[in-house]
């Protein structure tokens, strides 16, 4: 499909909903006709466009990403008020655009919900607790991923360059520094690390050193205050909620946190499921929606124009986060996207608060409009078109953006849509993956975080490749759902009877 045809498809879906298909674009064009220079600039905020894909990126933001972002944020705010939650913590970095959007709604409608931005990452939250539970620490350090090497494992442990070099010289792991570790051998790697006195001593030392500043930051941000509070994040497994809850409980907080997520594939073991709330898909069922969604792509576009949180440090009388550096190109791109999201929201609010009308529409009415079946369906369908069936222009425009699936970015990020050869595309097909993973016992397959984008950008027959890969994803999620149900039934059978 051509990009013009795709835009028409996006607009057609939005016109069926409570969201006008040109909420932002028509408003901008009107301002341009009136000679509004500032609004004209708002239409092209993405300054870095060396490959000429700016128009397709802007169209996706206007017709797909902005409606989804605003729909989620409005849902979060309405759920928070309904549940009596007075403070929302938006987690860095996926929660950055969500936070900025929520603050604008809270200001416009004078909502009784305080929005805060919490600098954190899985890395900065987990390392201070590694010495408290070495077994859990080893589990996190040896998790699988697209590219797991000994160097990455030592980075996950929080080791600086000198300590990493010491570990490589000690030869604890039988792999080269940057050698790919097969997923099936990670359990053996975990055992070898646990038996290494040097590794465990360095792990404990580093963790103890990080703990005081981390705990001081949680106090500073009011997380020990006994008021109803919840986290807001993209989601996927909800581990940050459990980690933060454990830290706060250890420090004396009695009220557990709730969490609002765009989607969850699962919740942590032994977690209180009633405190994990989802907008787009829950852990249970919804196989089709999960197959047609791409969480890696979601994280690539919904992220902050600042680096990830490494640790916390005292600076005068405050605790501040230590962040990684990001490239100027990435910062410029994300700042441009932020401007465009803000411009869409401002145009939307102008529509809801027309000139000469002070009260406008109530937030409750706005929330109900976003929750209408037609509106939810339009947001879902446009997300599906973009994520699962991108045009070549969209795949090339977004595909070159950087992505890392590891707990710690270390300069080795890949592109979200890797350039796969015809052979590599075919190796990700259903039959090929079944043969490799179930029959032949494994073997390395080069993957792409956004396979559909790779197929659209570099494949000769993208629809065929996507069809084959979709079959594999259906099988993958079907097996996960079956395992979840089996585990649930086993738990139900083993649960004590009432009155015992």
């Amino acid at each position: 499909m051509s990009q013009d045809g795709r835009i028409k498809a996006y607009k057609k879906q939005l016109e069926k909903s409570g969201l006008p298909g040109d909420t932002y674009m028509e408003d901008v064009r009107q301002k341009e006709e009136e000679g509004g220079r500032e609004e004209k600039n708002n239409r092209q905020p993405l300054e870095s466009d060396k490959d000429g894909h700016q128009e397709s990126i802007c169209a996706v933001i206007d017709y797909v990403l902005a409606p989804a972002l605003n729909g989620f944020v409005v849902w979060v705010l309405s759920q928070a008020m309904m549940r009596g939650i007075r403070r929302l913590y938006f987690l860095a970095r996926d929660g950055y655009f969500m936070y900025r959007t929520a603050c604008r709604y809270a200001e416009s409608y004078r909502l009784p919900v305080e929005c805060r931005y919490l600098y954190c990452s899985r890395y900065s939250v987990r390392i201070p607790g590694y010495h408290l539970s070495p077994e859990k620490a080893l589990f996190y350090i040896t998790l699988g991923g697209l590219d797991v090497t000994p160097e990455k494992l030592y980075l996950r442990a929080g080791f600086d360059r000198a300590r990493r070099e010491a570990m490589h010289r000690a030869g604890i792991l039988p792999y080269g520094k940057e050698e790919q570790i097969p997923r099936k051998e990670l359990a053996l790697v975990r055992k070898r690390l646990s038996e290494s006195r040097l590794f465990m001593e360095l792990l404990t030392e580093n963790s103890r050193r990080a703990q005081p500043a981390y705990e001081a930051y949680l106090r500073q941000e009011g997380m020990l205050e006994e008021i109803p509070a919840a986290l807001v994040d993209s989601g996927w497994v909800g581990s940050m909620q459990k980690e933060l809850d454990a830290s706060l409980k250890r420090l004396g907080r009695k009220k557990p946190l709730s969490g609002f997520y765009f989607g969850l594939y699962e919740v942590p073991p032994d977690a209180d499921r009633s405190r994990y709330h989802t907008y787009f898909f829950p852990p249970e069922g919804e196989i089709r929606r999960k197959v047609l969604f791409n969480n890696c792509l979601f994280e690539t576009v919904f992220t902050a124009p600042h680096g990830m949180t490494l640790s916390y440090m005292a600076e005068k009388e405050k605790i501040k986060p230590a962040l990684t550096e990001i490239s100027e190109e990435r910062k410029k791109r994300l700042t441009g996207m932020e401007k465009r999201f803000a411009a869409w929201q401002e145009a939307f609010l102008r529509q809801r608060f027309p000139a000469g009308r002070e009260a406008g529409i109530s937030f409750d009415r706005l929330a109900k409009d976003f929750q209408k079946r037609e509106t939810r369906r339009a947001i879902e369908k446009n997300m599906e078109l973009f994520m699962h069936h991108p045009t070549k222009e969209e795949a090339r425009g977004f595909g070159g953006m950087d992505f890392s699936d590891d707990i710690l970015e270390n300069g080795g990020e890949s592109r979200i849509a890797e350039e796969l050869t015809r052979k590599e595309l075919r190796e990700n097909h259903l039959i090929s993956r079944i043969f490799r993973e179930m029959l032949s016992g494994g073997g390395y397959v080069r993957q792409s975080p956004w396979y559909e984008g790779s197929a659209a950008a570099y494949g000769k027959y993208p629809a065929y490749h996507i069809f084959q890969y979709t079959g594999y994803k259906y099988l993958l999620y079907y097996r996960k759902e079956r395992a979840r149900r089996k585990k649930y039934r086993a738990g139900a059978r083993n649960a004590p009877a009432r009155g015992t």
Side-chain angles (χ1 to χ4, degrees), residues 210-230:
Q211 186 179 14
Y214 164 65
E215 293 180 348
Y217 180 71
L218 297 182
R219 289 192 184 92
Q220 173 184 287
E221 296 307 308
M223 299 199 77
L224 295 183
E225 297 172 14
E226 296 291 347
I227 65 171

Side-chain angles (χ1 to χ4, degrees), residues 10-44:
Y10 288 148
K11 291 169 67 173
K12 183 178 179 181
Q13 289 299 323
L14 290 177
E15 285 164 0
K16 295 177 183 177
S17 72
L19 297 174
D22 279 323
T23 299
Y24 171 50
M25 299 294 283
E26 288 293 347
D27 187 80
V28 169
R29 280 193 284 271
Q30 182 181 349
K31 292 294 182 181
E32 287 179 3
E33 291 171 3
E34 295 172 358
R37 282 178 156 280
E38 184 177 350
E39 290 289 342
K40 186 174 181 179
N41 290 335
N42 276 342
R43 196 177 173 197
Q44 296 185 346

Side-chain angles (χ1 to χ4, degrees), residues 146-164:
L146 292 177
D147 181 30
V148 180
T149 66
E151 177 73 358
K152 278 195 174 181
L153 296 185
Y154 299 144
L155 280 165
R156 291 177 182 179
F159 295 170
D160 59 19
R161 183 184 296 275
R163 287 176 172 81
R164 295 198 305 275

Side-chain angles (χ1 to χ4, degrees), residues 467-496:
F467 174 78
Q468 289 287 341
Y469 183 67
T470 301
Y472 168 70
K473 288 181 74 176
Y474 263 111
L475 178 62
L476 184 68
Y477 284 112
Y478 171 75
R479 292 175 65 193
K480 287 183 177 180
E481 177 63 13
R482 189 174 64 174
R484 185 197 65 78
R485 291 182 180 182
K486 183 178 180 181
K487 184 177 179 181
Y488 175 79
R489 287 194 295 268
R493 284 195 301 268
N494 296 330

Side-chain angles (χ1 to χ4, degrees), residues 79-117:
Q79 286 285 310
M81 290 187 291
M82 182 181 75
R83 297 172 186 276
I85 291 171
R86 292 162 46 196
R87 182 180 294 165
L88 293 171
Y89 288 98
F90 292 78
L91 303 187
R93 290 177 291 173
D94 294 4
Y96 180 82
F97 292 146
M98 302 168 190
Y99 166 71
R100 298 299 297 267
T101 305
C103 287
R104 188 69 182 93
Y105 279 119
E107 174 192 8
S108 296
Y109 289 95
R110 300 174 185 171
L111 303 180
V113 180
E114 180 188 5
C115 299
R116 294 192 179 187
Y117 187 66

Side-chain angles (χ1 to χ4, degrees), residues 327-345:
S327 68
E328 283 302 315
E329 181 181 353
R330 185 182 189 189
K331 186 183 296 184
K332 186 182 291 186
R333 167 173 60 82
L334 291 169
T335 300
M337 291 178 70
E338 180 181 358
K339 291 178 183 177
R340 199 161 187 95
F341 280 127
W344 190 98
Q345 188 182 23

Side-chain angles (χ1 to χ4, degrees), residues 320-372:
K320 292 193 173 181
L323 308 176
T324 59
E325 294 289 333
I326 65 171
S327 68
E328 283 302 315
E329 181 181 353
R330 185 182 189 189
K331 186 183 296 184
K332 186 182 291 186
R333 167 173 60 82
L334 291 169
T335 300
M337 291 178 70
E338 180 181 358
K339 291 178 183 177
R340 199 161 187 95
F341 280 127
W344 190 98
Q345 188 182 23
E346 288 304 314
F348 182 66
L349 286 171
R350 275 196 295 272
Q351 181 201 52
R352 294 282 164 159
F353 291 90
R357 185 181 172 190
E358 294 182 5
I361 189 171
S362 72
F363 186 79
D364 182 60
R365 170 71 183 281
L366 177 69
K368 288 179 180 177
D369 284 349
F370 265 109
Q371 285 301 105
K372 283 181 181 177

Side-chain angles (χ1 to χ4, degrees), residues 163-312:
R163 287 176 172 81
R164 295 198 305 275
E165 290 301 326
M167 295 302 300
H168 291 306
R169 287 195 300 271
I172 296 168
L173 299 179
Y175 309 97
K177 183 177 180 180
E178 298 292 349
E179 184 179 346
Q180 176 88 15
I181 301 174
R183 184 181 291 267
K184 62 183 180 181
E185 296 178 19
L186 287 173
L188 179 60
V189 167
R190 189 179 306 132
K191 185 174 184 295
R192 292 183 75 115
L193 292 177
S194 69
E195 293 171 349
S196 167
R197 182 177 177 181
L198 173 63
F199 177 83
M200 296 307 295
E201 284 180 352
L202 291 179
L203 183 72
T204 299
E205 174 193 337
N206 192 65
S207 176
R208 290 185 185 278
R209 188 168 59 245
Q211 186 179 14
Y214 164 65
E215 293 180 348
Y217 180 71
L218 297 182
R219 289 192 184 92
Q220 173 184 287
E221 296 307 308
M223 299 199 77
L224 295 183
E225 297 172 14
E226 296 291 347
I227 65 171
L231 309 177
V232 184
D233 197 12
S234 53
W236 320 146
V237 295
S239 60
M240 286 289 284
Q241 182 176 334
K242 187 173 183 181
E243 296 289 339
L244 286 167
D245 247 339
S247 298
L248 295 173
K249 184 178 181 180
R250 190 169 65 245
L251 293 172
R253 181 183 170 100
K254 294 181 175 58
K255 292 183 179 180
L257 297 168
S258 292
F260 296 110
Y261 302 98
F262 195 86
L264 286 173
Y265 296 103
E266 58 184 273
V267 295
D270 304 320
D272 181 355
R273 176 67 180 85
S274 67
R275 293 189 173 276
Y276 290 74
H277 312 292
T278 58
Y279 171 73
F280 205 63
F281 56 83
E284 304 84 12
E286 296 287 1
I287 292 177
R288 182 180 185 278
R289 190 170 291 186
K290 291 171 183 173
V291 167
L292 303 181
F293 184 80
N294 188 293
N295 60 301
C296 298
L297 179 57
F298 188 95
E299 291 179 14
T300 297
V301 295
F302 290 111
T303 189
H306 63 70
M308 72 167 281
T309 307
L310 285 174
S311 58
Y312 306 92

